[in-house]
Amino acid sequence: MAQRGRKSAAEVAVAAHLAPVTSASRLMPSAHLSDAEQVVWARLVNDHAASAFTETHRDLLDLYCQHVVTAQVLDDEIKGFDREWLRDDDGLKRYDRLLAMREREVRSASSLATRLRITRQATTDPKTVGRSNASQGRARKPWEVLEAK
């Protein structure tokens, strides 16, 4: 049976030497992902513990990375859209279609992030967040600030 309570610093150090985290122990990206999708994959997987994702998560991770990159591509298209084109009905329809496509991609990525439990809400403990907010110094309200003369 395991020992109860906190582990000592020595135990943690020994455990780190016995089973170091290597890149081989992390889930590697699928071969069919593009370079941009593999960058998103690496950023996501490296931001979590090595054991956070297993082979079971692969399909959802693939889809998440694809949706994120597609949303970025659509965002680039929207940013490059010339405002002069909005004067024409065809330009307005195209702009509206781009916005709708980006929204679908972002919603899909958000839904997958929730299911993968990688959102901020899923990764932070509500009690800890409340404690950190309470420990921060309170700023003065705008009406409490005295004008310097």
Side-chain angles (χ1 to χ4, degrees):
M1 189 155 172
Q3 183 181 2
R4 295 175 48 184
R6 290 186 175 180
K7 294 182 189 245
S8 68
E11 284 180 295
V12 172
V14 168
H17 288 292
L18 292 177
V21 176
T22 62
S23 61
S25 64
R26 292 194 181 273
L27 189 61
M28 299 305 292
S30 301
H32 69 275
L33 293 179
S34 69
D35 290 342
E37 292 164 352
Q38 288 185 8
V39 168
V40 173
W41 176 291
R43 192 175 62 219
L44 175 64
V45 171
N46 291 335
D47 194 39
H48 291 80
S51 62
F53 301 111
T54 62
E55 199 59 42
T56 314
H57 299 104
R58 179 174 298 283
D59 294 333
L60 289 178
L61 284 169
D62 285 350
L63 291 171
Y64 174 78
C65 294
Q66 291 166 354
H67 284 296
V68 167
V69 170
T70 304
Q72 290 169 346
V73 168
L74 290 168
D75 193 53
D76 290 342
E77 283 293 317
I78 291 168
K79 287 177 183 172
F81 200 85
D82 189 2
R83 291 192 181 264
E84 290 295 320
W85 299 340
L86 294 176
R87 295 181 185 195
D88 184 9
D89 281 344
D90 290 334
L92 194 58
K93 286 179 186 176
R94 181 169 184 249
Y95 189 70
D96 184 53
R97 199 173 312 127
L98 284 170
L99 290 174
M101 289 189 299
R102 181 182 63 180
E103 182 185 1
R104 276 195 313 261
E105 292 299 322
V106 169
R107 282 179 189 254
S108 296
S110 175
S111 176
L112 289 166
T114 301
R115 279 152 182 73
L116 287 165
R117 297 181 186 260
I118 57 174
T119 60
R120 181 174 168 91
Q121 181 178 4
T123 58
T124 55
D125 183 20
K127 291 180 279 188
T128 307
V129 171
R131 287 182 193 133
S132 68
N133 288 342
S135 67
Q136 290 179 352
R138 300 272 182 214
R140 291 183 131 176
K141 309 260 188 309
W143 55 87
E144 294 174 345
V145 177
L146 300 175
E147 292 182 21
K149 291 187 179 186

